[in-house]
Amino acid sequence: MRQIIIAGNWKMYKTVRDASEFLQEFLQHLEHTPEGREIVLCIPATSLWVISKSLHGSRIRLGAQNVHWEEEGAFTGEIAPGMLTEIGVRYVVVGHSERRQYFGETDETVNKRLIAAQKAGLKPILCVGETKAQRDSGETEKIIISQLEKGLPGVDLAQLVIAYEPIWAIGTGDTCEVKEANRVIGVIRSQLSNPDVPIQYGGSVKPNLIDEIMAQPEIDGVLVGGASLVPQDFARIVNYF
Ligand code: PGA
């Protein structure tokens, strides 16, 4: 059985105070959320420790947005896997397109981060996806298969989540047609030796689309940016159907 994982990615939004205010409201909406759904919030590093303490006993799992591959060292600005697990972080986003585009993340560094995260006991959410130009020139499958081939060697598929995030759909309001997202996620699954890896869709997921997205047979959850910043919106997404 594949796990359903609904994850919010706050990116570089919300101070500790904002995060606490969000939770006060959001937690009230989880009373009737069906048991089987894993709810993850990937929040800025500055809020992880405080929010981790306040989430004790709640069903929300905490996620970081990046992790380094070394256990410690002279790597200014980076965060080691053990620093995250020590404060109760369970998940980490790896290879988000914004990291690839603005911070020089490559398939090779993605691979190192995935392996190190798993070694420390974190469950990484690996992001893959094509640009608009790549889609228009019919390269979607080729790009994604290459990201998987280079990103996954040595990675334990039993401790992995994958998010299919077409780059042209991120933050644009331009959601990928759900049937097409379902199809590409099927292609991703066909590349994996373990059929139980949860595969999410990400890219302008909004409350009004969630029921249709989650009705797709290949889609095991969503990775949500903008709509995860608003308690009512993310609550509607988590409480789909
Ligand atoms: P979005 O972001 O929902 O704001 O498009 C998704 C993501 O970047 O993970």
Side-chain angles (χ1 to χ4, degrees):
M1 261 286 277
R2 303 194 313 252
Q3 195 178 18
I4 300 288
I5 303 176
I6 312 288
N9 169 18
W10 281 0
K11 311 193 180 187
M12 200 173 70
Y13 290 98
K14 292 197 193 292
T15 62
V16 172
R17 178 192 290 215
D18 298 336
S20 304
E21 282 173 12
F22 173 96
L23 282 175
Q24 259 191 358
E25 180 165 355
F26 180 65
L27 286 169
Q28 295 172 14
H29 296 281
L30 298 186
E31 231 169 88
H32 304 293
T33 307
E35 280 301 316
R37 300 177 189 179
E38 181 94 320
I39 306 166
V40 183
L41 277 175
C42 302
I43 70 177
T46 46
S47 293
L48 286 170
W49 175 221
V50 177
I51 296 302
S52 174
K53 283 190 283 189
S54 71
L55 285 180
H56 212 75
S58 99
R59 58 178 291 179
I60 300 177
R61 302 279 176 249
L62 210 50
Q65 298 176 13
N66 194 17
V67 64
H68 197 262
W69 54 86
E70 295 290 346
E71 286 174 20
E72 60 181 10
F75 301 102
T76 303
E78 291 283 331
I79 300 176
M83 296 172 181
L84 296 173
T85 52
E86 183 193 32
I87 58 170
V89 174
R90 307 276 193 95
Y91 286 83
V92 60
V93 177
V94 174
H96 190 280
S97 64
E98 286 150 17
R99 301 279 338 153
R100 295 180 192 253
Q101 192 179 345
Y102 305 132
F103 302 100
E105 191 80 66
T106 64
D107 290 320
E108 288 67 33
T109 54
V110 163
N111 179 249
K112 288 189 196 181
R113 292 184 205 271
L114 291 172
I115 291 171
Q118 290 187 333
K119 191 170 158 219
L122 292 162
K123 193 177 258 198
I125 302 175
L126 164 64
C127 301
V128 297
E130 79 288 357
T131 63
K132 182 86 175 78
Q134 288 162 341
R135 170 158 286 263
D136 289 346
S137 58
E139 292 180 307
T140 299
E141 283 80 1
K142 193 184 97 187
I143 293 297
I144 287 165
I145 289 169
S146 157
Q147 287 172 335
L148 294 172
E149 276 174 2
K150 292 181 186 150
L152 289 181
V155 173
D156 178 3
L157 297 183
Q159 296 301 326
L160 180 73
V161 180
I162 295 177
Y164 168 53
E165 298 209 306
I167 295 169
W168 47 273
I170 294 177
T172 57
D174 198 6
T175 324
C176 182
E177 214 272 304
V178 285
K179 292 262 175 323
E180 173 59 11
N182 186 66
R183 185 189 72 78
V184 177
I185 287 174
V187 171
I188 293 172
R189 197 177 313 283
S190 73
Q191 301 299 307
L192 305 174
S193 57
N194 180 340
D196 292 331
V197 178
I199 309 180
Q200 302 171 308
Y201 167 75
S204 297
V205 173
K206 302 294 175 209
N208 62 322
L209 299 168
I210 190 65
D211 294 346
E212 196 187 355
I213 292 171
M214 291 309 295
Q216 301 301 311
E218 296 287 354
I219 302 183
D220 305 319
V222 282
L223 182 56
V224 187
S228 74
L229 296 169
V230 182
Q232 299 93 320
D233 288 358
F234 195 49
R236 173 65 183 90
I237 288 171
V238 163
N239 295 322
Y240 66 87
F241 292 157

